[in-house]
Amino acid sequence: MAGHYDVIIVGSGAGGGTLAHRLAPSGKKVLILERGDWLPREARNWRVEDVFGDNRYVSQETWYLPDGKPFQPQVHYFVGGATKLFGAALYRLRKEDFGEMQHHDGISPAWPVGYDEFEPYYTEAEQLYQVHGERGSDPTEPPASAPYPARPVSHEPRIGKLAEDLKSAGYHPFPAPTAVLMNEADMAYSRCIRCQTCDGFPCLVHAKSDAEMIAVRPALTYSNVTLLRNAQVMKLETDADGARVTGVLAHVAGVPERFTGDIVVVSCGAANSAALLLRSANDAHPGGLANLSDQVGRNYMYHNSQAVLALSLTPNDTMFQKTLALNDFYFGTDEFPYPMGNIQMIGKTLPGMYRAEKPLLTALVPSRALEEIARHAVDFWLTTEDLPDPDNRVTVDRDGRLTLAYTPNNQVPKQKLYEKLRSMLGHIGLQSQHLVARDLYMRNDIALAGCAHQAGTCRFGDDPMTSVLDRNCRAHELDNLYVVDTSFFASIGAVNPSLTAIANALRVGDHLLQRLG
């Protein structure tokens, strides 16, 4: 497989996988290097004890805190990347998120490219990933040039009642934009079976619109596209002047190999993309590739997120719960004039999750009690924007070990959003003042390990002194090096970043097609 390619893509997730899909029909010779393998299809995909208790699908990799303490990051290395276990929530950033915005703790900077340039690619991304949704019901929704390609996933009775209660209380709930291969009009032929093991689980029946199913597999039907699995890229080589990447060094099933390409695209996830550039330091780039600005690895963001559950006064027997969202407080309130963020449903709490997450605390609790709590739980995910901070950063040492330094910021809006939801409970059929943390998305003790929404380590911009990439996501200092995962984000907004990564990969793909002729 070693040889020369028109484009080498490192990583097969929302960015890299989608880019491969865009380039596949061009006839250009494309190589995808994926450090993981196919995610195994097995009954354990849907076992709570395996997924949440034993971290079966989480990498065994070790990262470090600045004090040297090791931790296991919640990262997944498979074909399709992080999308294999994502919750399939594909939101657009708000139009305002692309501009400078004042937050409680400071400024969220403007992007070099505005929403209007992204909008056609958001529309294409929604169509490609077959997103279910409804225009016009979210008051913060940005302008869109087309309807969602699929009708919103319907609410089950308890969530439908919650939606009505929210409306009666004066709020504006809307159907969550959901990327699942569901055909409710003809469920006999629907790939999605509307199960409870979706959000945070691998899909045993391949019914998520993830990057493997939507992008990589279709790309591989073209003879000019090659996928190498178990191929971990260790370093990028450059010419003597440091102007171009001349070699991609990888371990393929443990065996060193070298690849060359006219264009090299890095899409390993925000932390690993930065680490790869830093590990590739050479005489021409002593601080790491594309790092003359000293910005590679800096401005790491991953959202201020909270998973919480409320107890319903009536049983919640919902199977597919992630159908509702609320953005009424996205930009703040009259009482608190700073952005607060997004509220959305997450996957339904299952009894085994309590034992998997808190084995010591639940050891003496009867299973029947846990089943009753789970049956009455209504689960929410609260997202508040964290702000880019140059000291929140990825670094690597001489041995290539990845260290992640992060100090939380913008915490007051996070607390305000929690308090706002808590104050609403009695009005929407939930036990008033009963809202508890649900840490199932972060099995490790270190909250920083929950890095599903990581972004910002190679941000794009027009000034080479303050950014790593230009507006086309090409490295300022290297003519043939691009980065197309969420590393390019200048800010992160307060919604899931996947759709923006997908849209950007399509946008950069069009640029590359033009460049390659």
Side-chain angles (χ1 to χ4, degrees):
M1 292 294 180
H4 189 80
Y5 296 83
D6 294 305
V7 181
I8 297 175
I9 302 172
V10 184
S12 64
T18 304
L19 178 63
H21 184 276
R22 187 60 136 202
L23 299 179
S26 70
K28 299 297 181 182
K29 196 175 178 184
V30 177
L31 173 65
I32 309 167
L33 295 172
E34 169 54 54
R35 71 183 288 176
D37 207 332
W38 304 113
L39 193 151
R41 299 186 72 185
E42 55 188 1
R44 289 177 166 185
N45 289 171
W46 284 349
R47 276 179 50 86
V48 172
E49 296 78 10
D50 287 301
V51 176
F52 289 102
D54 296 338
N55 277 340
R56 180 171 178 80
Y57 303 105
V58 174
S59 168
Q60 295 303 305
E61 191 172 26
T62 300
W63 294 355
Y64 295 86
L65 297 176
D67 62 4
K69 183 178 180 180
F71 69 96
Q72 181 187 12
Q74 296 279 297
V75 289
H76 310 99
Y77 299 136
F78 298 105
V79 178
T83 67
K84 291 304 296 178
L85 285 91
F86 76 163
L90 293 189
Y91 290 77
R92 298 183 180 208
L93 286 173
R94 311 296 91 175
K95 184 173 184 177
E96 294 85 347
D97 288 325
F98 287 80
E100 183 176 288
M101 195 181 303
Q102 179 67 52
H103 286 258
H104 183 274
D105 278 15
I107 297 292
S108 177
W111 290 34
V113 174
Y115 175 80
D116 290 347
E117 184 170 332
F118 260 79
E119 196 288 322
Y121 293 106
Y122 271 136
T123 295
E124 282 195 65
E126 289 165 349
Q127 292 168 349
L128 177 61
Y129 278 74
Q130 302 179 45
V131 183
H132 297 254
E134 178 182 86
R135 301 281 184 230
S137 53
D138 172 9
T140 71
E141 181 182 48
S145 57
Y148 280 102
R151 293 176 57 83
V153 177
S154 65
H155 301 313
E156 292 175 46
R158 183 63 190 88
I159 306 306
K161 178 66 164 60
L162 176 61
E164 290 305 314
D165 288 341
L166 285 165
K167 290 176 184 176
S168 296
Y171 302 108
H172 304 85
F174 62 94
T178 307
V180 290
L181 303 173
M182 185 188 299
N183 180 4
E184 291 192 78
D186 193 357
M187 286 301 289
Y189 285 88
S190 172
R191 182 175 291 179
C192 177
I193 60 173
R194 200 174 185 124
C195 70
Q196 285 185 315
T197 48
C198 181
D199 197 358
F201 290 84
C203 183
L204 179 57
V205 295
H206 280 171
K208 284 188 195 181
S209 295
D210 61 46
E212 177 201 345
M213 300 308 299
I214 295 296
V216 177
R217 288 188 181 231
L220 293 177
T221 63
Y222 291 83
S223 61
N224 53 297
V225 178
T226 301
L227 169 67
L228 273 188
R229 309 186 312 278
N230 302 303
Q232 182 176 359
V233 174
M234 311 303 293
K235 185 177 182 179
L236 305 179
E237 296 177 329
T238 72
D239 56 19
D241 294 334
R244 291 179 60 83
V245 175
T246 56
V248 177
L249 306 182
H251 287 171
V252 182
V255 178
E257 289 203 44
R258 182 177 185 272
F259 305 90
T260 61
D262 292 339
I263 303 289
V264 175
V265 182
V266 174
S267 189
C268 319
N272 279 312
S273 286
L276 176 59
L277 299 184
L278 294 171
R279 290 184 185 119
S280 300
N282 57 27
D283 289 345
H285 297 275
L289 296 194
N291 199 25
L292 185 63
S293 62
D294 191 33
Q295 292 298 305
V296 172
R298 294 189 184 273
N299 305 298
Y300 179 91
M301 299 168 284
Y302 78 119
H303 278 144
N304 294 323
S305 296
Q306 303 175 78
V308 297
L309 66 84
L311 293 182
S312 173
L313 299 173
T314 56
N316 178 17
D317 293 323
T318 304
M319 295 295 292
F320 192 91
Q321 183 171 258
K322 197 165 180 166
T323 58
L324 186 70
L326 190 74
N327 274 338
D328 287 48
F329 318 115
Y330 196 92
F331 297 116
T333 63
D334 291 341
E335 299 80 27
F336 186 78
Y338 298 104
M340 291 160 66
N342 168 266
I343 300 173
Q344 59 181 277
M345 313 305 297
I346 53 175
K348 184 74 182 74
T349 293
L350 302 175
M353 290 179 176
Y354 299 123
R355 295 208 192 279
E357 174 61 23
K358 307 290 184 186
L360 296 179
L361 289 177
T362 59
L364 300 179
V365 179
S367 295
R368 183 65 180 271
L370 295 180
E371 290 169 2
E372 279 301 300
I373 293 172
R375 191 181 180 206
H376 285 78
V378 177
D379 309 84
F380 299 91
W381 182 266
L382 282 61
T383 304
T384 298
E385 183 168 353
D386 57 338
L387 304 179
D389 179 343
D391 292 329
N392 288 341
R393 64 184 301 196
V394 172
T395 56
V396 298
D397 62 15
R398 290 181 178 178
D399 297 324
R401 300 194 318 176
L402 190 158
T403 293
L404 184 54
Y406 186 88
T407 300
N409 61 48
N410 215 32
Q411 295 291 290
V412 171
K414 173 184 175 180
Q415 182 64 24
K416 292 288 186 182
L417 188 61
Y418 173 87
E419 291 170 359
K420 192 67 181 176
L421 177 61
R422 187 171 180 175
S423 73
M424 296 159 57
L425 296 181
H427 303 288
I428 55 176
L430 301 171
Q431 290 191 18
S432 182
Q433 304 305 306
H434 195 105
L435 194 64
V436 298
R438 178 185 144 179
D439 298 318
L440 300 167
Y441 277 71
M442 301 175 184
R443 173 66 177 82
N444 307 68
D445 293 334
I446 303 161
L448 191 58
C451 49
H453 291 189
Q454 57 179 291
T457 56
C458 301
R459 66 178 177 181
F460 75 155
D462 293 327
D463 183 354
M465 292 297 98
T466 59
S467 58
V468 177
L469 310 170
D470 70 12
R471 59 177 54 207
N472 291 318
C473 292
R474 181 184 66 82
H476 287 298
E477 301 160 52
L478 292 104
D479 178 61
N480 65 337
L481 176 62
Y482 290 77
V483 181
V484 298
D485 53 27
T486 51
S487 303
F488 84 95
F489 280 39
S491 62
I492 197 171
V495 290
N496 312 53
S498 298
L499 187 71
T500 302
I502 292 164
N504 184 64
L506 296 173
R507 186 182 72 92
V508 174
D510 279 355
H511 161 78
L512 290 177
L513 289 171
Q514 185 175 19
R515 173 172 173 168
L516 291 165

